[in-house]
Amino acid sequence: GDTYDADGQQYVKSRVAKYFGGVLYLGTISNYRIVIDEYNDRHGIWDVDYDDGDDEEYDKDELEDARKLYEKEGRSLDDAGGGGKVKASPIKIESDGDEEKMPAPSATDGQLKASKIKNEDDHAMFDEETDD
C-alpha cells in the first residue's frame, strides 16, 4: 500500500496550521521526501517548520488536515501580519527535548522582586528602630 504522493513536492512552501494544547501554531512545509518502510512500501513525509522554531513531520493525512485548518483559521492570522505568533505562547506545552532553546521564565524578574521586597523590609526595620 503505497501512500506517497507523486506530486508531494507541490506542497512544499505551503502554509499549514495545527493546534498544540489549545493554541494555534502556523508553519510552512519545508521539504518533501519519500521513506520506504520495512514492507517496502513508500510513504510521503512532509517536513514542517513552525513559526516558533519547532519542526515536525506530517504524513498525507496530517498534511491535509493542517492545510485545511490553515485555510479555515490560519490564513486570517497571516493576513493580519501575525505570522502565527498572534496566539503562540512562548511556553511550550508539548516538550520534545528542545527546552534549552527557551529562555528561563523570567528568573531575573523574580530576583529583582525578591531583592526589592528585602530592601523594603530593611527600611521598615530601620524606621522602627529610629522611632524609639
Side-chain angles (χ1 to χ4, degrees):
D2 285 2
T3 58
Y4 77 98
D5 185 338
D7 300 322
Q9 202 63 39
Q10 71 182 326
Y11 299 118
V12 173
K13 302 268 185 278
S14 292
R15 293 290 278 160
V16 290
K18 185 173 177 180
Y19 276 104
F20 290 97
V23 177
L24 186 68
Y25 286 85
L26 301 191
T28 304
I29 302 294
S30 61
N31 184 39
Y32 173 67
R33 55 204 159 86
I34 291 164
V35 296
I36 296 171
D37 67 18
E38 66 262 40
Y39 308 108
N40 249 12
D41 286 336
R42 299 201 284 175
H43 301 277
I45 297 288
W46 287 267
D47 293 317
V48 189
D49 288 334
Y50 290 104
D51 294 353
D52 72 342
D54 271 354
D55 55 79
E56 194 177 18
E57 296 174 356
Y58 285 168
D59 62 20
K60 189 153 175 46
D61 290 342
E62 290 171 312
L63 173 72
E64 282 173 10
D65 289 347
R67 279 169 54 81
K68 280 182 198 145
L69 184 60
Y70 175 74
E71 288 306 324
K72 196 170 143 231
E73 300 188 31
R75 184 178 287 283
S76 57
L77 294 180
D78 269 351
D79 290 347
K85 300 239 167 46
V86 178
K87 288 172 150 178
S89 129
I91 292 160
K92 296 227 309 276
I93 294 130
E94 298 214 346
S95 161
D96 51 10
D98 285 348
E99 294 94 340
E100 65 273 9
K101 286 194 310 204
M102 303 305 307
S106 61
T108 49
D109 289 356
Q111 284 159 7
L112 287 171
K113 284 196 198 96
S115 62
K116 204 169 161 205
I117 290 161
K118 188 171 161 295
N119 291 342
E120 283 165 7
D121 286 348
D122 291 345
H123 287 306
M125 281 162 55
F126 183 72
D127 290 345
E128 283 165 24
E129 285 164 21
T130 53
D131 284 349
D132 286 349

